[in-house]
DNA sequence: CTTTACGATTGACATTTATCAATTCATGCC
DNA sequence: GGCATGAATTGATAAATGTCAATCGTAAAG
């Protein structure tokens, strides 16, 4: 692993307050793996053997049920996934696949649990991270139950734009079919939702979406901090 | 507070492993409050001042957005709510109201955070509880995104029955409008979903639902442990 | 006992979303 | 450049869900 990658991981809220030796042990025990796009890293219902840290690339978390499949989240560098399954030593509830060529640090679950038991500051950071993750999921449930597809899309665009600096444009980093699944709709429905928000201050050219009239988009999306503010 | 109530709280996974003095301090600092039905206990967007423990009665967690309202969960005795908001010292994402005459133990957030910092076993229990809560929410997202309303109802009934001992019948402990909101649909739609599952091995008389043909219901519901198994 | 209130149900209809098929568009490959 | 592949879009239709209004049922209040 490159030194700057280790530094970036160290900067994560989850690891930032851990003791030096805790972090060293976690990294020592971990494997840094490279994967091509489209590789399934973990499979729901498998035992959670490793905590995963996306160092480079892009990972899609998804799940199946009732004969269908849905995207739960997209993990960008530097991000952690399936912390909860590892801590409770349980099976995965979600699968993961690479959307791009990716580098992933895999830390054995046993090492994570031992580090937590040995380092109170690390355990405290885990509490904060889990609480944030929980609140993110509550927001997802609210988003899903309270809004129509077009509303979810409009608010997603506003969030992405804000995260990218609020310059009024967003480049989609993955296929639209993935976005449609993340937003809880079919690809066809996403196309129609895009057509809908075009009449509310948005222009779309391929993977680039521009906010041409923010007031109009805000009027349509009606964002709420209790759903849309990043946790 | 009655001794048996204190004992019941002590038995919760969240408190079971805490040191005796930690638990004593949490209970000492807490207020045991009685509320009539229909009282709003907490309001989303308010600062999370207290951890709440339902000692008796029934509490509905709900949230608003996009001009609508939805039920997030029902908390029965003995259950804890809004742990995550208290730990991160943030605002509530959900509101809470009593559905029945209820008794609620309210523990100041500062006390909970101090107890966590002072008692590693308590902090460890918090990690486990948060991880379970997180996984419950992941399951809720999957349930909501992957299933139709009637499927959610069928699986809810199977779950309730299993929790009640698997005897093939369930008495709804609250209004159907609340159930419809919990399942993410309108009351009218719930009536129709009930009509649908009547053709799949269920009979409904008022608040009592009977599973008359479990095989048929299972065939329709297609339950999955990764969505329906209690966390 | 009657009245009243309110939740639950039903019917009619509108909106939202999904499905299936056909077509267009973009991209990599030869 | 031309072709092949797969994603994205569009159209037609069906299914699921929501809305509005009317009715039914039940339980509390007088």
């Amino acid at each position: 692993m490159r030194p700057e990658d280790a530094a970036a991981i160290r900067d994560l809220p989850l690891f930032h307050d851990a003791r030096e030796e805790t972090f060293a042990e976690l990294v020592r025990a971990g494997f840094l793996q490279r994967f091509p796009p489209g590789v399934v890293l973990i499979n729901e219902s498998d035992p959670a053997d490793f905590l995963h840290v996306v160092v480079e690339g892009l990972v899609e978390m998804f799940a199946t049920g009732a004969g269908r499949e849905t995207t739960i989240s997209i993990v960008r560098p530097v991000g952690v996934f399936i912390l909860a399954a590892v801590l409770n030593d349980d099976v995965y509830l979600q699968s993961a696949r690479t959307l791009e060529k990716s580098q992933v640090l895999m830390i054995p679950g046993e090492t994570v649990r031992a580090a937590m038991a040995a380092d109170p500051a690390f355990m405290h950071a885990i509490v904060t991270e889990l609480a944030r993750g929980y609140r993110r999921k509550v927001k997802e449930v609210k988003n899903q139950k309270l809004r129509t597809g077009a509303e979810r899309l409009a608010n997603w665009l506003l969030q992405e734009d804000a995260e990218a600096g609020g310059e009024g444009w967003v480049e989609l980093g993955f296929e639209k079919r993935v976005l449609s699944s993340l937003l809880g709709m079919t690809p066809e429905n996403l196309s129609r939702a895009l057509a809908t928000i075009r009449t509310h201050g948005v222009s779309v050219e391929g993977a680039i979406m521009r906010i041409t009239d923010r007031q109009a988009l805000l009027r349509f999306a009606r964002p709420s901090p209790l759903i849309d503010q990043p946790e």
Side-chain angles (χ1 to χ4, degrees), chain A:
Chain A
M1 180 161 44
R2 297 178 306 175
E4 60 260 43
D5 291 336
I9 297 174
R10 185 73 162 123
D11 270 348
L12 283 175
L14 182 61
F15 297 116
H16 188 262
D17 295 335
R19 286 202 302 258
E20 192 56 54
E21 67 214 69
T22 304
F23 184 68
E25 170 61 11
L26 289 167
V27 171
R28 190 202 61 72
F31 311 84
L32 186 65
Q33 293 265 30
R34 284 158 205 279
F35 299 99
V39 173
V40 172
L41 303 178
I42 65 177
N43 240 310
E44 49 182 334
S45 88
D46 284 352
D49 294 327
F50 295 94
L51 177 67
H52 289 59
V53 184
V54 180
V55 175
E56 205 185 296
L58 205 59
V59 172
E60 176 190 12
M61 307 299 303
F62 65 100
T64 57
R68 282 149 256 174
E69 177 183 314
T70 191
T71 302
I72 307 287
S73 63
I74 306 290
V75 186
R76 293 178 232 250
V78 182
V80 174
F81 59 89
I82 43 128
L83 177 59
V86 166
L87 291 175
N88 280 11
D89 200 9
D90 209 331
V91 299
Y92 300 120
L93 294 179
Q94 309 172 59
S95 304
R97 72 165 73 95
T98 56
L99 292 177
E100 301 175 351
K101 194 158 157 289
S102 299
Q103 262 181 276
V104 179
L105 178 66
M106 296 166 59
I107 305 173
E110 194 43 63
T111 306
V112 176
R113 291 189 293 271
M116 173 176 77
D119 183 344
F122 182 45
M123 180 147 57
H124 195 282
I126 286 177
V127 167
T128 305
E129 177 67 21
L130 281 176
R132 287 180 51 199
Y134 174 82
R135 286 166 63 85
R136 262 193 296 271
K137 288 298 163 206
V138 170
K139 290 178 176 180
E140 274 179 50
V141 172
K142 290 169 69 171
N143 191 38
Q144 197 65 39
K145 286 177 80 174
L146 292 169
R147 287 175 169 156
T148 66
E151 286 171 344
R152 293 196 295 275
L153 170 62
N155 282 292
W156 174 88
L157 177 56
L158 286 165
Q159 255 187 275
E160 285 293 303
D161 175 57
E163 205 168 303
E167 301 191 10
W169 68 277
V170 164
E171 175 161 14
L172 188 58
F174 40 85
E175 291 173 355
K176 283 185 183 164
R177 52 181 310 173
V178 175
L179 177 60
S180 71
S181 180
L182 179 66
L183 294 175
M185 59 179 94
T186 58
E188 294 94 328
N189 205 345
L190 174 60
S191 275
R192 285 163 187 135
L194 283 168
T196 299
I197 66 170
R198 259 187 261 257
T199 68
H200 296 281
V202 175
S203 83
V204 183
E205 308 138 27
I208 309 275
M209 304 181 198
R210 269 174 233 286
I211 301 174
T212 56
D213 182 347
R214 191 176 294 270
Q215 285 313 310
L217 183 57
L218 286 168
R219 228 170 12 249
F220 176 77
R222 285 187 298 169
S224 153
L226 297 184
I227 300 179
D228 306 292
Q229 206 160 81
E231 192 63 42

